[in-house]
Amino acid sequence: MINLTTKFKPDLMKKFFKITGIVLGSLIGIIIISILIFNGYYWLGNLKSKRQLNEVQMVTENGFQFRDLNKNGELDVYEDSRQNIELRIDNLLSQMTIEEKAGMMWHPPIGVGKKGEVLGKPDVATLNMVSTYDVLVNKKMNHFNLFSIPASRFLATWYNSIQKIAEQTRLGIPVTISSDPRHGINNFIGSDLLGSDFSKWPEPIGLAATGDSALVVEFGRIANAEYRSVGIRTALHPMADLATEPRWARINGTFGEDATLSAKITAAYIYGFQGDSIDAQSVACMTKHWPGGGPQSNGDDAHFGYGKDQTYPGKNFDYHLIPFKAAFEAGTAMIMPYYGVPVGQTSEDVGMSFNREIITELLRKEYNFDGVVCTDWGIIEGFKILGLEIVEAKNWGVENLTVKERIKKVIDAGVDQFGGNMNVEELLELVKEGLVTEARIDESARRLLRAKFKMGLFDNPFVDVELAEKVVGNTEFVAKGKLAQRKSIVLLKNKMNADSTFMLPLQKNLKVYIENIHREMASAYVTVVNSLADADVAVLHLQTPWEPRNSDFIEKMFHQGKLDFDETELLRILKIMEQKPTIVCMYLDRPAVIPEIAEKAAALLGDFGLQDDALLDVIFGDFNPSGKLPFELPVSMEAVKNQKEDVPFDSGNPLFPFGHGLSYK
């Protein structure tokens, strides 16, 4: 036995505990001081901000009533809704300081209180990393995007509150709020980060599976109404990228791999959100990701350093531009370039937003696009919490440049706005040092102001909170979304029985074993049993496999890599099929590699985001399936690896080809 008293003398132990106490006390002191400084900084910033606020009054001049945004008691041209928009922009620009112009060029995320409160300091629970007052008043920003949001009433209340803050700033420039898609069932690649109480529709790839441009226009109009009712006026979508690389994580946000189909759906989508032209009834579309983010090397996504390269082994760069041409013809208000480096396509291998040949030469000059160009999120700096970077910067090809050098390179490339970052001070330093001219800042500010004026935000930015509750998720919109879910389902296989009938639709007098389907919902159609042995039929709802990669904070949200099941899971599924006739529905956020399952299944369906009642309606014959595959399903992973990232329909002898889809009639 060890004699502890010989190891630790009493006086040594006293010294040990004394030192430990001093260290722990110091750490606690540092933490307390840090918290006090942290909160004090935002308290002082908020106080400074609030002292600058002045109420806006409605003023009447010669019978015309207007919002006196600059509080001078006179009708300025930019306050006059009767004036030509370009004249209004000229007048406002002439009154803006360089700080106010520079503030417009940043588009960071902002948080919303759970009950619609304006957040005065960072709040991890709502993913808010800023003080609302500080960014609006002190940093003079007025473009923000939303991640996690509360119920519609609270969101609309919050929106009106921040517009009230914005109108009380020196010139009363209104805020523009944006969002990624919020109407899908499996938002943001499997995460509920973008959940909402909006009506629920199939994901964009499911809209493509319907092939119905009229349905897509209707979706756009409904999403527009729901967005506008709570104050969202910029849609950070659609994705006009082509799904030519089946391993890519973002396929569920695209309209498939065929450029013609994607172009048709992209145009319909934009028309639904924007209308014939941008006006007070529009939600502006920021079409992405220029010039097509689909051909990622080995399918690895450009959110991560290992996936920074976009490759074109099939020399098919121009094919990926086809949906963007349709977006330009449809009048998309904005464009977002992707993170990736177009390897070998330009004179320097740098990310799209740093690349002058991609932005100015191709987008601005060749395609004559004069709308807003906004970078994808976080290309200047990564995302930090208390100084610790938890998401790396997407500064591919310019990693060795300083923050200021990156900002300058993006501006020189022809971009107007920086998504996700808020490096206003560094931009102002560039202007002060003569490295970026105020005339160049004016060029971008003009485009950004034009969008605000066209959407009527200067004339009335507020929403009706009571109306928001009636619009968002109303009965009609929900029903339309449910119909679209059903129309998007693809019947891939339907085995003929010995009596010449088909496996589907299933009869409702059977005993059914289910997996990954809501039991209570299924019980409304059929008798659900717990044991496979007691069942007449098995119904399995599965998902395209992926490789978990957890080195990055957001990486777990991305389904990348392999498309086939591991041996253990595959054998489990096949064993079920050996015991009972089995209907399989695959959630195809990417093209699954399932030759063994397809062979053994009594029936096989594909879905692109749905609620269980939609699937059950199809399985039990209450709805006739009509969807078509928006991409091919490869026969093997070897075929996937042998295909070219930029070329469609080239996985070689696919299990199911593009456009495949059966029906009951």
Side-chain angles (χ1 to χ4, degrees), residues 237-262:
H237 42 101
M239 283 177 60
D241 311 276
L242 295 175
T244 54
E245 165 49 69
R247 291 168 289 185
W248 188 37
R250 306 199 66 182
I251 285 176
N252 64 338
T254 76
F255 299 128
E257 66 181 310
D258 179 66
T260 300
L261 174 63
S262 179

Side-chain angles (χ1 to χ4, degrees), residues 263-306:
K264 180 179 81 168
I265 302 299
T266 296
Y269 194 106
I270 293 168
Y271 179 72
F273 274 87
Q274 294 189 171
D276 290 317
S277 58
I278 304 294
D279 60 23
Q281 303 304 310
S282 298
V283 169
C285 284
M286 187 180 288
T287 303
K288 58 190 185 185
H289 302 88
W290 174 260
Q296 293 296 134
S297 180
N298 298 315
D300 291 330
D301 189 74
H303 274 81
F304 317 104
Y306 57 73

Side-chain angles (χ1 to χ4, degrees), residues 25 48 108 170 234 287 372 393 460 655:
K48 177 184 175 185
R170 195 178 72 89
T234 297
T287 303
V372 171
N460 180 19
L655 183 66

Side-chain angles (χ1 to χ4, degrees), residues 174-237:
V175 167
T176 304
I177 295 297
S178 67
S179 176
D180 280 294
R182 292 186 178 274
H183 286 80
I185 311 299
N186 296 282
N187 284 300
F188 203 71
I189 318 177
S191 166
D192 64 356
L193 180 66
L194 297 176
S196 68
D197 47 8
F198 297 157
S199 55
K200 298 303 176 188
W201 297 67
E203 292 160 22
I205 192 67
L207 295 177
T210 71
D212 188 343
S213 55
L215 180 151
V216 176
V217 170
E218 184 172 41
F219 159 72
R221 287 175 174 163
I222 288 172
N224 165 302
E226 292 185 311
Y227 272 14
R228 281 193 301 109
S229 73
V230 294
I232 298 172
R233 297 306 298 272
T234 297
L236 302 179
H237 42 101

Side-chain angles (χ1 to χ4, degrees), residues 145-159:
N145 84 296
L146 300 176
F147 291 150
S148 178
I149 61 173
S152 299
R153 164 175 280 276
F154 300 133
L155 180 57
T157 300
W158 169 86
Y159 172 77

Side-chain angles (χ1 to χ4, degrees), residues 490-562:
V490 179
L491 178 60
L492 297 168
K493 175 186 176 180
N494 196 11
K495 184 179 179 180
M496 181 179 286
N497 300 314
D499 61 0
S500 296
T501 62
F502 288 95
M503 190 67 196
L504 293 182
L506 277 184
Q507 299 299 310
K508 295 183 179 180
N509 59 352
L510 300 174
K511 298 176 183 176
V512 180
Y513 169 81
I514 61 174
E515 287 188 5
N516 303 317
I517 297 173
H518 194 278
R519 184 185 181 92
E520 184 176 341
M521 201 171 283
S523 297
Y525 295 79
V526 73
T527 300
V528 178
V529 295
N530 295 323
S531 170
L532 181 64
D534 296 333
D536 299 310
V537 176
V539 178
L540 312 180
H541 195 186
L542 307 175
Q543 180 172 357
T544 299
W546 74 93
E547 296 172 30
R549 303 177 184 182
N550 299 313
S551 63
D552 188 283
F553 175 70
I554 62 170
E555 202 170 33
K556 64 183 66 175
M557 300 179 187
F558 287 71
H559 296 171
Q560 307 185 78
K562 62 175 289 184

Side-chain angles (χ1 to χ4, degrees), residues 356 359-369:
R356 182 174 174 82
I359 305 301
T360 292
E361 300 303 323
L362 184 60
L363 178 60
R364 296 288 194 201
K365 293 183 178 179
E366 187 169 334
Y367 284 96
N368 299 311
F369 182 74

